[in-house]
C-alpha cells in the first residue's frame, strides 16, 4: 500500500526541523568566545559551554580567541634625531580581553595595531640619536608597550609585551661602527698590555724592595748579635776581674803580694809591644829582685 504524500511531507518536515535544531546548537571551546547578534544587533558573548542559537534570528558575528597572540610586523623605516634612516621590525604580544569591543571597536584590528605600532616607533626613535637608539632597546620597548596598551584599550586588546626584533642601520653606518669597534678593541688591548707591563714592573720593584729590606734586617741582626757577644765577653772579663779582686780582698794580702800583682798587670799592659814602660818607684825594687832571681835561675840551669 503506497505511503500517503501527507505522511512523506510530515516526515521530511520533522527531519528538517531536527536538522535545523541540531545545526543551531553551538558548543564554545576553551579559550574561545563567540559574539552573537540578534537581528543585526549585539545580543551576548558566549563563553565556554553549550548554547542554542535561534534560527534565522540570531547569528554568530565573530569567533574570538582569548589566547595570547603574537604579531610580527614587517620592518619599518624610521629616522633618528641625527637624520639616520634605519629599518626596525617589531614583535607584539597581545591578548583580547573584551570580545565585544574587539568586534565593534575598530575595523580590522590587526591592521590598526600595525599602523599604530609604526607611528609610535617613529615618534620614539625620532627623539633619539643613533647611538642612543641602538643601546636603549629596553626603554623603547617599555615606552611602546605603555603607549600601545593605552591606545588599544578601547578596542578590547591588552598589549603585554613589545620587542624590537632587529635594528638595521645603513650599510655605511654598519661599516663605520665595525671600524670603531675594531679600534676600540685595539685600544683596550694596548691598555691591557700596558697595565700588564706596569704590574710586572711594580712586582719586580716590590720584590727588590723586600729583598733589600730583608738583607738590611739580616745585617742589623748580625751586628746586634756581634755587639751583644762582645758586650757579654766584656761583662764576663769584668766579672772575672771583680771576682779575683773579691777573693784577693778576702785573703787579706800583704804589700808584697799587691806589688807582685801590680807587676803582672804592667807586663800584661806592655804585652811585648811597648818599647818603653814607666814603672812606679815602689815597684822598681821588686822588679830588680825579680830580675836577679831570674838571672840566678838561668845560671844554675846547666850545672844540673
Amino acid at each position: 500500500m503506497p505511503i500517503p504524500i501527507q505522511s512523506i511531507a510530515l516526515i521530511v518536515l520533522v527531519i528538517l526541523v531536527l536538522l535545523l535544531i541540531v545545526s543551531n546548537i553551538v558548543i564554545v571551546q576553551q579559550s574561545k568566545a563567540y559574539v552573537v547578534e540578534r537581528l543585526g544587533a549585539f545580543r551576548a558573548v558566549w563563553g565556554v559551554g553549550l548554547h542554542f542559537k535561534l534560527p534565522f534570528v540570531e547569528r554568530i558575528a565573530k569567533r574570538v580567541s582569548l589566547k595570547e597572540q603574537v604579531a610580527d610586523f614587517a620592518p619599518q623605516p624610521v629616522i633618528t634625531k641625527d637624520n639616520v634612516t634605519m629599518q626596525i621590525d617589531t614583535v607584539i604580544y597581545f591578548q583580547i580581553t573584551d570580545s565585544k569591543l574587539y568586534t565593534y571597536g575598530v575595523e580590522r584590528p590587526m591592521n590598526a595595531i600595525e599602523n599604530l605600532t609604526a607611528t609610535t616607533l617613529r615618534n620614539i626613535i625620532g627623539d633619539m640619536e643613533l647611538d642612543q637608539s641602538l643601546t636603549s632597546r629596553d626603554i623603547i620597548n617599555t615606552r611602546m608597550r605603555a603607549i600601545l596598551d593605552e591606545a588599544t584599550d578601547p578596542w578590547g586588546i591588552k598589549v603585554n609585551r613589545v620587542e624590537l626584533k632587529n635594528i638595521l642601520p645603513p650599510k655605511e653606518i654598519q661599516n663605520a661602527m665595525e671600524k670603531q669597534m675594531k679600534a676600540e678593541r685595539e685600544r683596550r688591548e694596548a691598555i691591557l698590555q700596558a697595565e700588564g707591563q706596569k704590574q710586572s714592573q711594580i712586582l719586580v720593584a716590590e720584590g727588590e724592595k723586600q729583598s733589600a729590606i730583608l738583607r738590611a734586617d739580616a745585617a742589623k741582626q748580625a751586628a746586634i748579635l756581634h755587639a751583644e757577644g762582645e758586650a757579654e765577653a766584656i761583662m764576663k772579663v769584668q766579672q772575672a776581674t771583680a771576682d779575683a779582686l773579691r777573693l784577693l780582698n778576702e785573703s787579706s794580702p800583704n804589700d808584697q803580694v799587691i806589688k807582685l800583682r801590680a807587676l803582672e798587670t804592667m807586663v800584661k799592659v806592655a804585652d811585648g809591644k811597648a818599647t818603653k814602660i814607666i814603672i812606679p818607684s815602689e815597684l822598681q825594687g821588686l822588679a830588680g829582685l825579680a830580675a836577679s832571681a831570674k838571672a840566678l835561675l838561668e845560671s844554675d840551669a846547666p850545672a844540673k
Side-chain angles (χ1 to χ4, degrees):
M1 182 177 180
I3 301 176
I5 298 176
Q6 293 85 357
S7 299
I8 296 174
L10 181 60
I11 293 173
V12 171
L13 181 60
V14 171
I15 293 174
L16 291 175
V17 170
L18 290 175
L19 290 175
L20 184 62
I21 293 173
V22 171
S23 64
N24 283 275
I25 295 175
V26 180
I27 299 176
V28 180
Q29 300 174 351
Q30 186 70 36
S31 301
K32 297 284 186 179
Y34 289 2
V35 178
V36 181
E37 294 180 350
R38 177 178 292 177
L39 299 177
F42 171 76
R43 179 183 176 274
V45 176
W46 287 348
V48 179
L50 181 66
H51 302 274
F52 181 76
K53 175 170 65 69
L54 294 179
F56 310 110
V57 177
E58 296 179 345
R59 73 180 186 92
I60 299 175
K62 198 174 189 64
R63 293 174 172 82
V64 179
S65 175
L66 301 179
K67 298 179 182 179
E68 187 173 12
Q69 303 179 47
V70 181
D72 187 357
F73 300 133
Q76 300 290 332
V78 295
I79 302 176
T80 62
K81 188 176 181 180
D82 48 356
N83 297 323
V84 177
T85 302
M86 299 187 301
Q87 296 288 331
I88 302 179
D89 55 342
T90 54
V91 179
I92 293 181
Y93 298 83
F94 68 94
Q95 190 173 10
I96 299 172
T97 57
D98 193 319
S99 302
K100 179 181 178 182
L101 293 178
Y102 180 75
T103 303
Y104 301 105
V106 63
E107 187 71 21
R108 293 186 298 174
M110 296 309 302
N111 189 28
I113 292 177
E114 182 177 4
N115 291 328
L116 180 61
T117 301
T119 55
T120 303
L121 183 62
R122 290 191 182 101
N123 292 335
I124 294 175
I125 297 297
D127 293 334
M128 295 182 175
E129 295 183 354
L130 175 62
D131 293 339
Q132 185 181 5
S133 62
L134 293 175
T135 58
S136 303
R137 285 176 176 254
D138 292 339
I139 297 176
I140 298 173
N141 295 338
T142 302
R143 291 181 59 185
M144 286 189 64
R145 193 204 68 78
I147 294 174
L148 292 177
D149 187 41
E150 182 179 359
T152 57
D153 188 63
W155 304 342
I157 300 173
K158 178 175 179 55
V159 178
N160 296 325
R161 292 182 62 187
V162 178
E163 297 290 341
L164 300 184
K165 187 176 180 181
N166 290 311
I167 300 178
L168 301 176
K171 192 66 177 178
E172 58 273 12
I173 299 295
Q174 294 184 26
N175 294 334
M177 292 172 62
E178 291 177 358
K179 292 179 181 179
Q180 181 180 0
M181 290 302 298
K182 182 179 179 180
E184 181 65 20
R185 286 192 295 269
E186 291 176 352
R187 184 183 70 85
R188 291 179 181 177
E189 181 182 1
I191 292 175
L192 290 176
Q193 291 180 354
E195 288 290 338
Q197 294 178 357
K198 176 182 176 182
Q199 291 297 327
S200 176
Q201 294 174 357
I202 290 174
L203 291 176
V204 171
E206 287 289 340
E208 293 177 352
K209 175 183 176 182
Q210 292 296 328
S211 178
I213 292 174
L214 292 176
R215 286 196 298 268
D217 286 340
K220 176 182 176 182
Q221 292 298 327
I224 291 174
L225 292 176
H226 181 69
E228 289 178 351
E230 291 183 349
E232 185 176 357
I234 293 172
M235 289 297 296
K236 288 183 177 180
V237 171
Q238 295 295 329
Q239 183 66 37
T241 303
D243 292 341
L245 292 175
R246 180 176 55 80
L247 293 174
L248 187 61
N249 290 328
E250 290 177 354
S251 60
S252 301
N254 53 27
D255 293 339
Q256 298 299 325
V257 174
I258 294 174
K259 291 178 180 180
L260 182 60
R261 294 295 297 175
L263 181 60
E264 291 176 354
T265 303
M266 293 297 296
V267 173
K268 290 182 180 179
V269 171
D271 196 19
K273 298 179 182 179
T275 57
K276 288 184 179 181
I277 300 176
I278 300 174
I279 300 174
S281 58
E282 63 270 13
L283 295 180
Q284 289 179 0
L286 185 59
L289 178 61
S292 299
K294 181 179 180 182
L296 180 61
L297 291 174
E298 288 178 352
S299 62
D300 293 339
K304 293 179 181 180

